[in-house]
Amino acid sequence: MPRARRIRAKLRWSNLYTFSCFHPTVVDSEGGHPLQGPGFSRVVYCNQPLVHRRKPLKYASNYISTTKYNAITFVPKAIFEQFRRVANLYFLLAAILSLTPIAPFSAVSMITPLAFVVGLSMAKEALEDSRRFIQDMEVNSRKVSTHKGNGEFGPRQWQKLCVGDVVKVEKDQFFPADLLLLSSSYEDGICYVETMNLDGETNLKVKRSLEVTLPLEDDEAFKDFTGTIRCEDPNPSLYTFVGNFEYDRQIYVLDPSQVLLRDSKLRNTAYVYGAVIFTGHDSKVMQNATKSPSKRSRIEKKMDYIIYILFTLLILISLISSIGFAVNTKFGMPNWWYLQPHNTSNLYDPSKPVLSGFSHLVTALILYGYLIPISLYVSIEVVKVLQAMFINQDIQMYDEETGKTAQARTSNLNEELGQVDTILSDKTGTLTCNQMDFLKCSIAGISYGVRASEVEIAAAKLMEMDLSGQKMEIPNSDLGFWGENRNDITVSEIVLESGGDPKIEKIHKSPIKGFSFEDNRLMDGNWSKESDPDVILLFFRILAVCHTAIPELNEESGIFNYEVESPDEGAFLVAAREFGFEFCRRTQSSVVVRERNPYGQPIEREFKVLNLLEFNSKRKRMSVIVQDVDGQILLLCKGADSIILDRLSKNGREYELDTVRHLNEYGDAGLRTLMLAYKKLEESEYYTWNCEFVKAKTTMGPEREELLERVADLMEKDLILVGATAVEDKLQKGVPQCIDKLAQAGLKIWVLTGDKMETAINIGFSCSLLRQGMKQILITSANADAEKTMKENILMQITDASQMIKLEKDPHAAFALIIDGKTLTYALEDDLKLQFLGLAVDCASVICCRVSPKQKALVTRLVKEGTGKTTLAIGDGANDVGMIQEADIGVGISGVEGMQAVMASDFSIAQFRFLEQLLVVHGHWCYKRIAQMICYFFYKNIAFGLTLFYFEAFAGFSGQAVYDDWFMLLFNVILTSLPVISLGVFEQDVSSEVCLQFPALYQQGPRNLFFDWYRICGWMMNGLYSSLLIFFLNIGIFYDQAFRAEGQTSDMAAVGATMFTCIIWTVNCQIVMTMSHFTWIQHLFVWGSICTWYVFLFFYSLSSPIISGDAYHILTEVLAPAPIYWIVTLLITAVCNLPYFAFLSYQRSVNPLDDHIIQEIKHFKKDVEDQHMWTRESSKARQKTMIGFTARVEDKIRLLKGKLQKKYSSLVVQTIS
């Protein structure tokens, strides 16, 4: 095989990195880490995979599985899942008892429905789990180049990798396992890694191999390579690694910077070589995964308790029936000569009443089984599948860019969508699309950029609507000045108060990715005509030089693309290019900028890079020391305003006040800001400092980082302020509006991200979870050696914060809790987690940053179990799988970074904004449909089932059913099934548009208004009332009343058929009053079910007496000719439904629900005739919230109103004077 050539030969990119990329070249004097005791038993023989195929070194294979079942466990686990349902347990018992001679029904009639229901549910589970299996196979079948021996590499499936294998991973490929980095295509063995799938960060991480393995630069070099890794055992910690590398009879210390984790991606590097350390479920990403849980909705769990109640009622009436039968057998049967008591079986032996009673108990348990309807579960499954179809086909959740629709991957949790209390969201790829746009800047105390941000535009529009719709309460308003002129206030005037300048001519051109700046004062070289062109020139050069990017020329467009560590850096470089300062080349020790001179040809200017102090979350700044062509040494610095301001010299604060004012305005507009500064250095000053810097850089031991920080601080002071930048973080389309609508619906939103704290806070501002004026509570861990001391410090911070919230008196005050992953580790322990949760619940928004996938799942569990309310987790990457599976509902974003989150989710959507439609519309509908459907189902079965008990008691507890067997069989299957299914599928209290206009309607779900015990008991009492009326009115009327014209009274068949007719009419008219929305389908199903009863009875009664029995010709000859049959049907139907009708009338008149008011408005078309009233009502229909776009805009409006009040007050004074 030809020798692989390194790209960019002789370039040591590690020189760019001061803090993250230094490793001593000498061996640790103590022989590496002392790896002894439990937790450090892993031994890996590199390039010797055969050793790891036998014990004791046989480790887990690289095959992964995320399915809930496998071929062996499917049947037992799936059956267990089905019989977790209490009703199924009862029907299993009934099916077993049906095999005995005392059963009132045949065994086939009991076993067949049970087998059908359980089999259907198991088939659905198998289908859903097969999708996960297919995704697993796609991952396991990926190929990677693996060393096969003799220096030859060839493709091998991921699932066949073994510990110790040497693999070659190429650019933009995922790492197949956890690897030790041996060498890369760069000279000094560094590589760039994107860990978005692990921690959500898109900033590239720099990894570097040990110096000793750098000679392993091509395939042939591995022909005789061997080495031994001794390290920690598999664990879920993504940010730590302890191990030693034994090579060439020396021991070298390993740390996380040499480890490449599975599911992270190689970027900006042609290839790397690595040795496999952890495979499959031993890898850190899989250690963070959790088992696929079995999820059940709260309604389904509560339904079990209803089944318990009905089962208790079933046992109670069965006991009453059996006791009554035993008493009659002992005392009555000897006198009933026609039953031949002297010639009977043991079941009817007067001398053995206890045995007779026990046998009748079994009969009664099966006979009254209609109280616990097995068809309920079938109906619910059908309804949920149809609901899922509507979710999948909703055009409002179709993403045109990707062509993807929403997918209900499981239909078990549809109604749970309507009861969500807390949303736990990932950040990267879920809320953001990781694109920054350069929007504004402040240079030399002057603000540039006339395009308004999204927050400014929204505030201006709402402010204008507010001013046009109502008067402001202003002192001296009786003068009439405001009243005469308030309609002249426009959006442009409001934007002017926000810092914009409507007099500046705006330029309109095609959008450039990363650059939305508009201001002709700086474009096309016009900056040279400004009052401080030298400062502006320096500002542009800082943008073009102070970074760690790598340029790549796009040969088709002729424009440079930049491989950057963060989106901010990319936006700065694009802005510099558009301003005429294009970064075009980086060498080992310099950067080259092509400067477009306003008066001549472009000039390539080279800056020699002397040192680079890169950005990290602790420093919050980045500096580069360069020497220009004139020999002048400059320190160029960019960083957070709080850091830069403290480091300015006395002479460097000329523009401080104006710049800080601009920064506050940019922050109010929702923009991310950085300050830019510089410092001129004398050669002697620089070289003195550099000696100290080199000394600190080459120091070994734990004090190295502290020394570097100290030396860097010596240089990064006495700076001169140049200006500030403001970039707009491009959230995914519609994210702020979606968060705003969800907040108005009363939902709490937490953000769990692996990003650093600053990034997470900036995103919080961008999506309006945070805003200016919101009080931030930062919980951090002190650098204490003792764990007890650290936990005490964290507890004190939590306690102080909770006390501060309780003492707050400002009604507009809002608090945001921000906590990092290290602190969260302690906060989630048993003795702190309840206090932490209590504080978090009291805050308007919660942001957890630097959290691992495992911590995401633990936080989700804490919220779910600690609050006892429904949680929803949403994410798009493999790092979100844990929390998606842990939450009550998991939603996956079908983004560009694989489908792991989607495969683990219960629902998938293409973008975060579709969550609004999924929850506020479909969630509300599904919850109300399922709740009403179940309540109605129990109502109709109680109304029907108890009539069987009443008649049996009336007939001396004989076990005789008043209804024909076919009537009972068809009651749930045909005659009442379709109307209840139409209720569960098509019912709409309000339309989807109204759901979004009145988001507070959603709170009916979390408050459980339609499935609380008050409503459940109400429906049960309604069923009891109907059953009593239907039975006793029929018996009272027909007992001794002439039924036919000839004067004959009715027999049991006529009474039973009439009673059954009353039940069919009553329960179907009841469902009509329950429905709010009718289509032709509902009318067809409801009235068609009633007609079906008569059609069935007609043909059934015409059949042979062998089939129809006592019902022979019962409709045509007995019931239809009798007027009393029709009168009784109408009378009982009206009387049974009268209480519910009265209740509805009272509720709508005296104590209406929100949807009742909206229905009335829509019915009388007030939304069209009185738009002002409709707008007023819709503005009321939202939960009071401290987060979201509206809350932020209202805060902005309060600020603008104050400015305008002052402005017009001063004008009034001038007018009077």
Side-chain angles (χ1 to χ4, degrees):
M1 179 173 287
R3 182 182 178 89
R5 299 184 63 184
R6 291 186 182 273
I7 63 171
R8 298 170 181 146
K10 304 300 181 185
L11 293 183
R12 292 183 168 263
W13 297 109
S14 56
N15 288 348
L16 290 176
Y17 302 95
T18 297
F19 298 95
S20 61
C21 221
F22 175 81
H23 297 289
T25 57
V26 297
V27 181
D28 191 295
S29 59
E30 297 182 2
H33 286 299
L35 303 178
Q36 296 178 355
F40 297 96
S41 62
R42 190 87 166 187
V43 180
V44 177
Y45 294 98
C46 301
N47 213 20
Q48 302 175 64
L50 295 178
V51 176
H52 297 285
R53 293 184 181 178
R54 58 181 182 270
K55 294 182 178 180
L57 298 177
K58 186 177 182 180
Y59 301 124
S61 71
N62 207 38
Y63 176 88
I64 60 139
S65 174
T66 60
T67 58
K68 190 188 301 184
Y69 310 104
N70 58 41
I72 298 174
T73 63
F74 173 71
V75 173
K77 286 184 69 174
I79 289 178
F80 170 76
E81 288 296 321
Q82 295 310 309
F83 289 103
R84 286 171 66 185
R85 293 172 169 174
V86 181
N88 284 350
L89 276 177
Y90 163 74
F91 287 112
L92 176 63
L93 176 62
I96 295 172
L97 293 176
S98 68
L99 298 172
T100 64
I102 58 176
F105 308 118
S106 66
V108 174
S109 65
M110 296 299 296
I111 295 173
T112 302
L114 178 64
F116 174 75
V117 171
V118 171
L120 186 68
S121 299
M122 289 176 63
K124 186 168 74 73
E125 288 282 319
L127 177 63
E128 292 172 353
D129 209 47
S130 66
R131 296 169 183 163
R132 297 188 181 94
F133 175 76
I134 292 172
Q135 172 64 21
D136 289 342
M137 291 309 298
E138 289 176 359
V139 172
N140 289 324
S141 299
R142 289 176 181 171
K143 301 289 183 61
V144 65
S145 184
T146 309
H147 185 226
K148 295 183 175 181
N150 297 321
E152 295 183 1
F153 281 71
R156 183 183 296 174
Q157 290 185 343
W158 280 22
Q159 62 185 348
K160 295 182 179 179
L161 279 184
C162 296
V163 172
D165 273 327
V166 174
V167 298
K168 181 181 182 180
V169 180
E170 298 183 349
K171 183 179 179 181
D172 293 331
Q173 289 183 347
F174 289 100
F175 299 117
D178 291 350
L179 311 175
L180 170 66
L181 175 60
L182 298 174
S183 64
S184 77
S185 55
Y186 289 114
E187 183 72 20
D188 47 2
I190 74 161
C191 69
Y192 295 91
V193 175
E194 183 185 273
T195 58
M196 182 175 173
N197 263 346
L198 303 181
D199 55 20
E201 288 196 52
T202 53
N203 295 355
L204 301 185
K205 312 294 189 303
V206 182
K207 302 286 186 176
R208 184 182 180 185
S209 66
L210 295 172
E211 296 280 353
V212 70
T213 58
L214 288 181
L216 302 171
E217 58 183 8
D218 56 22
D219 294 358
E220 294 180 1
F222 289 92
K223 183 177 181 180
D224 300 314
F225 166 71
T226 58
T228 303
I229 302 170
R230 300 183 188 274
C231 64
E232 62 188 21
D233 291 335
N235 64 79
S237 177
L238 296 174
Y239 307 110
T240 61
F241 181 81
V242 178
N244 294 327
F245 180 57
E246 300 174 7
Y247 181 66
D248 200 17
R249 291 182 290 184
Q250 300 289 345
I251 299 177
Y252 301 86
V253 174
L254 299 177
D255 61 41
S257 65
Q258 286 107 33
V259 177
L260 309 174
L261 299 182
R262 180 188 175 113
D263 275 347
S264 52
K265 182 187 284 187
L266 183 65
R267 299 295 299 272
N268 297 359
T269 311
Y271 60 84
V272 296
Y273 291 102
V276 177
I277 305 174
F278 298 119
T279 50
H281 289 274
D282 285 348
S283 61
K284 288 184 179 287
V285 67
M286 295 306 296
Q287 287 280 307
N288 275 277
T290 55
K291 293 182 179 179
S292 298
S294 299
K295 297 182 180 180
R296 300 176 70 207
S297 70
R298 291 172 183 270
I299 285 184
E300 188 175 340
K301 293 175 183 176
K302 196 167 189 176
M303 200 164 68
D304 283 348
Y305 291 104
I306 302 175
I307 297 293
Y308 291 143
I309 293 174
L310 293 180
F311 190 67
T312 302
L313 176 63
L314 171 62
I315 293 175
L316 179 62
I317 62 176
S318 297
L319 284 172
I320 294 173
S321 179
S322 63
I323 292 171
F325 180 77
V327 171
N328 281 335
T329 300
K330 181 175 179 60
F331 299 106
M333 188 170 288
N335 301 320
W336 298 336
W337 57 267
Y338 51 85
L339 294 180
Q340 299 181 11
H342 59 279
N343 185 25
T344 185
S345 66
N346 289 333
L347 300 180
Y348 304 96
D349 190 347
S351 63
K352 300 178 181 179
V354 176
L355 180 61
S356 300
F358 179 77
S359 64
H360 188 80
L361 175 64
V362 176
T363 302
L365 285 172
I366 299 175
L367 180 64
Y368 303 145
Y370 287 96
L371 287 172
I372 306 175
I374 191 171
S375 59
L376 170 61
Y377 287 110
V378 177
S379 300
I380 289 178
E381 292 288 352
V382 171
V383 164
K384 287 186 175 182
V385 168
L386 293 174
Q387 287 177 348
M389 287 175 57
F390 284 133
I391 291 174
N392 297 345
Q393 296 173 6
D394 189 346
I395 194 67
Q396 300 299 326
M397 293 191 286
Y398 173 74
D399 184 34
E400 294 182 356
E401 294 182 6
T402 61
K404 294 179 179 178
T405 60
Q407 290 291 324
R409 294 175 45 76
T410 175
S411 58
N412 294 339
L413 303 173
N414 294 349
E415 67 274 23
E416 200 84 333
L417 291 172
Q419 295 187 280
V420 176
D421 177 78
T422 304
I423 297 173
L424 300 105
S425 174
D426 176 41
K427 180 191 73 68
T428 308
T430 303
L431 299 178
T432 67
C433 49
N434 260 359
Q435 180 187 334
M436 304 294 176
D437 271 10
F438 191 95
L439 195 66
K440 297 174 184 286
C441 62
S442 173
I443 310 174
I446 300 174
S447 180
Y448 296 95
V450 296
R451 177 178 286 186
S453 69
E454 291 181 1
V455 171
E456 288 177 312
I457 293 171
K461 287 181 178 178
L462 288 180
M463 182 73 168
E464 186 179 37
M465 289 172 59
D466 186 64
L467 293 176
S468 62
Q470 58 183 352
K471 274 192 177 184
M472 272 190 179
E473 296 181 2
I474 294 185
N476 302 323
S477 60
D478 56 319
L479 295 175
F481 186 89
W482 183 276
E484 294 173 3
N485 297 278
R486 65 183 175 87
N487 290 328
D488 298 332
I489 301 172
T490 62
V491 172
S492 61
E493 187 169 2
I494 297 168
V495 172
L496 175 63
E497 292 297 330
S498 300
D501 190 348
K503 297 179 182 180
I504 297 172
E505 181 185 353
K506 295 185 180 181
I507 39 183
H508 300 279
K509 54 185 178 181
S510 59
I512 300 170
K513 185 177 180 181
F515 188 74
S516 298
F517 182 86
E518 289 185 3
D519 196 332
N520 61 5
R521 292 176 294 174
L522 295 185
M523 302 303 295
D524 301 323
N526 292 333
W527 58 267
S528 61
K529 302 173 186 177
E530 291 292 293
S531 57
D532 294 294
D534 292 339
V535 180
I536 297 175
L537 174 65
L538 187 57
F539 180 91
F540 292 153
R541 285 180 175 171
I542 294 175
L543 291 182
V545 174
C546 187
H547 55 77
T548 59
I550 300 171
E552 290 186 354
L553 181 64
N554 187 325
E555 296 181 358
E556 293 181 3
S557 63
I559 297 176
F560 282 97
N561 296 326
Y562 302 110
E563 297 286 359
V564 294
E565 290 191 40
S566 69
D568 308 66
E569 211 167 67
F572 293 151
L573 288 170
V574 171
R577 182 187 69 203
E578 295 302 310
F579 289 134
F581 293 77
E582 185 177 40
F583 166 54
C584 59
R585 190 165 68 254
R586 183 187 287 278
T587 68
Q588 177 62 53
S589 59
S590 66
V591 294
V592 178
V593 178
R594 185 178 296 144
E595 298 185 358
R596 208 164 52 236
N597 193 310
Y599 311 106
Q601 296 296 320
I603 300 172
E604 287 196 357
R605 192 176 299 274
E606 184 175 10
F607 296 87
K608 184 179 181 182
V609 179
L610 303 177
N611 301 93
L612 189 143
L613 309 175
E614 74 264 28
F615 184 95
N616 62 41
S617 57
K618 184 178 180 181
R619 287 168 39 77
K620 299 183 183 179
R621 64 190 183 278
M622 173 192 173
S623 300
V624 60
I625 301 175
V626 298
Q627 189 173 32
D628 63 18
V629 292
D630 299 325
Q632 176 65 56
I633 299 177
L634 297 169
L635 169 74
L636 309 179
C637 183
K638 62 183 180 185
D641 53 4
S642 59
I643 301 296
I644 301 298
L645 289 174
D646 290 341
R647 285 167 168 74
L648 296 180
S649 66
K650 291 182 179 180
N651 299 327
R653 299 179 179 270
E654 179 180 355
Y655 312 119
E656 180 181 2
L657 293 178
D658 290 329
T659 304
V660 170
R661 177 168 54 85
H662 295 153
L663 284 178
N664 291 332
E665 291 173 355
Y666 299 157
D668 288 335
L671 304 179
R672 300 173 61 163
T673 59
L674 284 179
M675 273 190 168
L676 275 59
Y678 80 102
K679 174 182 178 181
K680 289 185 178 180
L681 300 173
E682 298 295 333
E683 285 193 19
S684 58
E685 178 186 3
Y686 167 72
Y687 287 118
T688 301
W689 173 85
N690 192 47
C691 289
E692 292 294 321
F693 182 71
V694 172
K695 182 179 178 181
K697 190 174 181 180
T698 55
T699 300
M700 291 183 294
E703 69 276 5
R704 174 180 177 271
E705 186 173 348
E706 184 179 347
L707 286 173
L708 279 171
E709 286 284 357
R710 193 181 307 157
V711 175
D713 279 340
L714 292 175
M715 174 58 68
E716 294 169 323
K717 64 180 183 180
D718 297 330
L719 305 177
I720 299 173
L721 181 62
V722 175
T725 61
V727 298
E728 188 170 31
D729 191 350
K730 301 305 289 183
L731 298 168
Q732 286 198 13
K733 183 179 178 182
V735 164
Q737 293 81 0
C738 178
I739 288 178
D740 187 43
K741 191 71 70 176
L742 295 175
Q744 291 177 29
L747 294 165
K748 303 177 185 67
I749 302 173
W750 292 30
V751 174
L752 311 179
T753 177
D755 266 355
K756 56 183 180 289
M757 185 175 289
E758 290 72 24
T759 306
I761 290 174
N762 286 330
I763 293 298
F765 278 103
S766 298
C767 61
S768 298
L769 287 173
L770 303 177
R771 67 173 190 271
Q772 295 293 326
M774 181 179 275
K775 299 178 182 178
Q776 296 182 16
I777 300 173
L778 272 68
I779 307 295
T780 57
S781 52
N783 293 323
D785 294 332
E787 179 179 328
K788 182 179 179 182
T789 304
M790 191 175 294
K791 290 173 69 173
E792 288 175 353
N793 178 266
I794 294 170
L795 178 60
M796 184 176 67
Q797 293 180 64
I798 293 174
T799 305
D800 292 345
S802 299
Q803 190 67 20
M804 179 177 67
I805 294 175
K806 290 178 182 178
L807 297 176
E808 180 59 54
K809 297 180 180 179
D810 183 3
H812 297 296
F815 295 87
L817 175 63
I818 302 164
I819 186 170
D820 60 37
K822 182 180 178 182
T823 310
L824 196 60
T825 302
Y826 298 100
L828 291 175
E829 292 185 2
D830 291 340
D831 52 346
L832 283 181
K833 64 181 182 182
L834 293 181
Q835 292 91 327
F836 165 68
L837 180 63
L839 172 61
V841 169
D842 289 338
C843 291
S845 59
V846 180
I847 297 177
C848 303
C849 38
R850 275 298 182 195
V851 292
S852 67
K854 195 81 169 182
Q855 287 178 316
K856 287 185 177 184
L858 290 174
V859 170
T860 304
R861 182 183 302 170
L862 174 64
V863 178
K864 180 177 70 173
E865 296 177 353
T867 63
K869 297 178 180 178
T870 305
T871 57
L872 180 147
I874 179 169
D876 74 319
N879 60 313
D880 304 315
V881 169
M883 72 172 184
I884 285 173
Q885 293 180 334
E886 184 62 50
D888 294 300
I889 306 170
V891 178
I893 303 287
S894 51
V896 296
E897 289 297 328
M899 297 289 285
Q900 293 93 330
V902 170
M903 294 308 299
S905 67
D906 306 303
F907 299 87
S908 70
I909 52 179
Q911 293 193 31
F912 182 88
R913 61 190 169 97
F914 296 138
L915 195 61
E916 174 185 348
Q917 182 82 4
L918 184 65
L919 296 184
V920 179
V921 177
H922 289 284
H924 173 71
W925 284 347
C926 290
Y927 162 73
K928 198 165 184 180
R929 289 166 176 170
I930 295 292
Q932 290 182 325
M933 173 188 171
I934 294 173
C935 287
Y936 171 79
F937 222 109
F938 286 120
Y939 150 79
K940 75 181 181 69
N941 277 77
I942 288 175
F944 174 61
L946 287 181
T947 57
L948 291 169
F949 170 68
Y950 302 151
F951 184 80
E952 203 213 6
F954 181 76
F957 298 104
S958 61
Q960 175 65 50
V962 68
Y963 307 119
D964 186 275
D965 288 350
W966 279 98
F967 296 178
M968 293 189 287
L969 182 64
L970 295 179
F971 176 74
N972 281 318
V973 176
I974 293 178
L975 300 178
T976 61
S977 60
L978 292 181
V980 77
I981 289 175
S982 70
L983 173 70
V985 176
F986 298 107
E987 170 64 359
Q988 291 182 16
D989 53 349
V990 293
S991 66
S992 60
E993 294 80 8
V994 173
C995 281
L996 297 174
Q997 288 176 324
F998 293 79
L1001 279 174
Y1002 183 82
Q1003 278 300 304
Q1004 292 180 342
R1007 288 160 58 193
N1008 204 18
L1009 291 184
F1010 293 94
F1011 206 65
D1012 57 0
W1013 284 112
Y1014 170 79
R1015 191 168 292 264
I1016 292 168
C1017 292
W1019 277 99
M1020 288 184 172
M1021 292 298 104
N1022 192 16
L1024 175 63
Y1025 166 80
S1026 296
S1027 69
L1028 288 169
L1029 281 184
I1030 290 171
F1031 177 78
F1032 286 105
L1033 282 179
N1034 273 287
I1035 292 297
I1037 292 172
F1038 291 121
Y1039 186 71
D1040 52 9
Q1041 178 71 33
F1043 187 75
R1044 299 190 186 186
E1046 295 81 6
Q1048 298 98 325
T1049 57
S1050 58
D1051 59 4
M1052 188 182 74
V1055 171
T1058 306
M1059 199 181 300
F1060 196 81
T1061 303
C1062 293
I1063 290 173
I1064 295 298
W1065 270 96
T1066 297
V1067 298
N1068 280 291
C1069 288
Q1070 176 75 61
I1071 203 170
V1072 170
M1073 289 193 292
T1074 305
M1075 293 177 178
S1076 305
H1077 174 74
F1078 286 93
T1079 66
W1080 65 268
I1081 299 176
Q1082 279 108 314
H1083 285 294
L1084 175 64
F1085 284 177
V1086 173
W1087 309 120
S1089 294
I1090 296 175
C1091 293
T1092 301
W1093 158 242
Y1094 289 109
V1095 172
F1096 163 76
L1097 189 60
F1098 174 75
F1099 286 105
Y1100 179 64
S1101 64
L1102 293 179
S1103 62
S1104 167
I1106 300 174
I1107 298 174
S1108 59
D1110 293 340
Y1112 184 67
H1113 282 204
I1114 192 171
L1115 180 63
T1116 54
E1117 295 183 4
V1118 180
L1119 300 180
I1124 195 171
Y1125 167 74
W1126 302 103
I1127 294 171
V1128 166
T1129 300
L1130 294 177
L1131 172 66
I1132 293 179
T1133 301
V1135 173
C1136 286
N1137 284 291
L1138 188 61
Y1140 187 74
F1141 179 77
F1143 167 75
L1144 284 181
S1145 302
Y1146 173 80
Q1147 186 183 46
R1148 286 180 176 268
S1149 302
V1150 179
N1151 188 27
L1153 299 175
D1154 293 338
D1155 52 299
H1156 293 159
I1157 298 172
I1158 297 170
Q1159 289 167 4
E1160 189 171 334
I1161 292 173
K1162 298 289 283 187
H1163 177 74
F1164 292 106
K1165 298 183 179 180
K1166 291 293 184 181
D1167 56 318
V1168 177
E1169 298 173 2
D1170 192 347
Q1171 283 287 338
H1172 181 70
M1173 182 271 288
W1174 179 253
T1175 304
R1176 183 186 70 244
E1177 291 299 321
S1178 62
S1179 66
K1180 291 179 183 177
R1182 68 184 190 195
Q1183 295 291 305
K1184 184 179 180 182
T1185 178
M1186 295 295 181
I1187 64 170
F1189 206 67
T1190 299
R1192 189 172 193 169
V1193 168
E1194 288 175 349
D1195 190 54
K1196 179 80 173 176
I1197 287 174
R1198 281 194 292 269
L1199 179 65
L1200 295 180
K1201 280 183 177 180
K1203 290 183 178 181
L1204 288 173
Q1205 284 178 348
K1206 292 180 182 178
K1207 174 181 176 181
Y1208 280 94
S1209 296
S1210 63
L1211 287 175
V1212 170
V1213 172
Q1214 292 176 9
T1215 303
I1216 295 174
S1217 61

